[in-house]
Amino acid sequence: MTSHLSTLGRPLGQALNGLAALICTASLFATVAASSGAGWPRVGEANAPAAEPEPEAALLAMATEPDMRSVDLPSAGTVPLSSAISIPGVIAAVRDGLGGRSAVGTGFQAQAAAVGQASGANGADVPLFDARVVARHPHDARAFTQGLIWRDGALYESLGRPGESEVRRVRLADGRVLARAPIPPDQFGEGLASYRNELISLTWQHGIAHRWNARTLKRVGESRYPGEGWGLAAAGGELALSDGTPTLRFFDPRTFAERRRVTVTLRGRPLRDLNELEWVDGALWGNVWHTPYLVRIDAKTGAVTAIADLSAIVREVGLADPEAVANGIAWDGQERRLFVTGKLWPRLFEIKLEPRP
């Protein structure tokens, strides 16, 4: 998933109305940070020491706020805000202009304060893991990573952005691209999964799942699905697909017929913006878009059962581009290695997840 003003196809007035609505949501994040004594790092300050929100409280704020991906405005119709505005940029602007105070009514303030205290209010905490870096490997800093998997001794990666989208095979040791296959230039590449002798890659808004021969990367067919495609993961004879909403859809990998759906929830609250997905040692994990967090999801119930914090890695990468977010999870089951990277990141990291004391 990404941000492109050119994809809106709406008048400027619509975008401004959408921006006003999203600023209200950003104010909620600022209030959460203020109520917990923590702050979101500003763009360009990735390497500066800064207090950070607790992962669970930050994600609960996302789960509690209204879903601003599509807002009905009387004067503008329905505006797909997530396609136009960078949430971290708005949050930084709100914090700069308001000193962390909310610009909206006391109802939102009270809700945000409650979220900031939620970690100890609704039963046992969700387990939290830190990422310990085991190894660092080169990664193409021009790659807008949307999907990442490990197969047959190599990394496979799907890239996004129109005209730049492709599926590629990458050598871990030096990041060299060994083979590549372009996605049609009008399409925006998204998640990637492996099924039998094929790779399957999604497109953001075209509803096309491309099928590739895993050995040759020759395109061998396509499947169709409704709605957007963000992340994709294969395990247990089915494909899990995220689309930015709290809903995960599960498909037959051969026919792409939908089998079932689950709503992803954190403490019973729907959690949206799930992006790249990966099955890791029998469990489903996903990036949460525009955050440094991974969540482990019960694929049967949708409940979030753990959170992994990649904040230290994001700080190490230190990119100012708000779209250079953590995105990409790959699991080498044979060697039991877990890899993560991000969009436009110059490095790929092998990590171990360790419980936070």
Side-chain angles (χ1 to χ4, degrees):
M1 182 62 187
T2 189
S3 299
H4 281 292
L5 287 170
S6 61
T7 64
L8 283 174
R10 303 267 199 254
L12 178 60
Q14 296 177 342
L16 292 175
N17 282 338
L19 176 59
L22 190 54
I23 286 176
C24 292
T25 299
S27 300
L28 172 62
F29 275 86
T31 304
V32 170
S35 69
S36 62
W40 289 86
R42 299 176 185 176
V43 173
E45 294 183 347
N47 291 315
E52 295 171 349
E54 283 298 315
E56 186 173 339
L59 291 176
L60 277 167
M62 296 181 62
T64 301
E65 70 181 33
D67 186 351
M68 303 301 288
R69 292 185 63 245
S70 181
V71 178
D72 290 327
L73 301 174
S75 61
T78 300
V79 181
L81 298 180
S82 68
S83 301
I85 310 295
S86 164
I87 292 174
V90 177
I91 291 171
V94 170
R95 286 185 56 78
D96 287 344
L98 302 175
R101 291 172 295 159
S102 176
V104 295
T106 56
F108 257 153
Q109 292 178 13
Q111 183 184 52
V115 170
Q117 299 168 4
S119 290
N122 293 318
D125 289 348
V126 174
L128 178 61
F129 293 85
D130 289 309
R132 177 173 63 85
V133 175
V134 176
R136 295 166 176 83
H137 302 279
H139 181 255
D140 184 355
R142 297 166 298 178
F144 202 75
T145 305
Q146 301 289 64
L148 187 72
I149 63 173
W150 180 271
R151 175 184 171 127
D152 300 330
L155 289 162
Y156 289 80
E157 190 171 10
S158 55
L159 276 53
R161 291 182 167 169
E164 301 176 14
S165 297
E166 66 179 32
V167 174
R168 53 172 58 173
R169 183 186 301 119
V170 179
R171 188 162 60 198
L172 175 64
D174 57 7
R176 179 183 176 186
V177 178
L178 302 176
R180 63 197 339 145
I183 293 170
D186 62 322
Q187 298 176 19
F188 196 111
E190 285 283 347
L192 181 69
S194 174
Y195 172 66
R196 294 184 178 176
N197 296 322
E198 294 181 353
L199 304 178
I200 302 174
S201 67
L202 300 179
T203 50
W204 176 23
Q205 294 180 318
H206 279 76
I208 298 173
H210 295 288
R211 294 176 176 271
W212 315 89
N213 180 290
R215 183 177 59 84
T216 65
L217 293 190
K218 179 180 178 180
R219 189 171 176 274
V220 294
E222 66 179 42
S223 299
R224 298 276 178 163
Y225 56 91
E228 295 187 358
W230 287 32
L232 191 68
E238 57 186 2
L239 297 172
L241 182 148
S242 66
D243 57 13
T245 73
T247 300
L248 290 181
R249 291 178 284 167
F250 292 81
F251 293 86
D252 183 306
R254 185 178 59 84
T255 65
F256 241 84
E258 185 176 328
R259 291 178 173 175
R260 61 188 181 95
R261 299 184 177 199
V262 298
T263 299
V264 177
T265 59
L266 178 59
R267 294 184 178 275
R269 304 173 188 178
L271 179 64
R272 59 186 179 82
D273 286 350
L274 297 164
N275 206 356
E276 220 269 297
L277 302 174
E278 181 65 275
W279 287 94
V280 178
D281 202 19
L284 183 62
W285 286 81
N287 288 101
V288 183
W289 186 45
H290 276 299
T291 79
Y293 308 128
L294 310 179
V295 291
R296 187 179 67 198
I297 303 162
D298 186 318
K300 293 183 178 180
T301 68
V304 171
T305 60
I307 300 169
D309 189 353
L310 306 184
S311 294
I313 292 175
V314 172
R315 287 196 302 271
E316 177 181 327
V317 174
L319 298 178
D321 186 339
E323 296 307 319
V325 296
N327 202 49
I329 313 166
W331 171 246
D332 174 7
Q334 183 173 352
E335 299 293 332
R336 302 190 62 78
R337 296 184 295 178
L338 180 61
F339 302 101
V340 295
T341 191
K343 302 177 183 182
L344 309 176
W345 284 17
R347 289 182 291 281
L348 177 141
F349 298 84
E350 180 187 345
I351 63 171
K352 293 286 187 183
L353 296 182
E354 299 180 339
R356 181 173 294 182

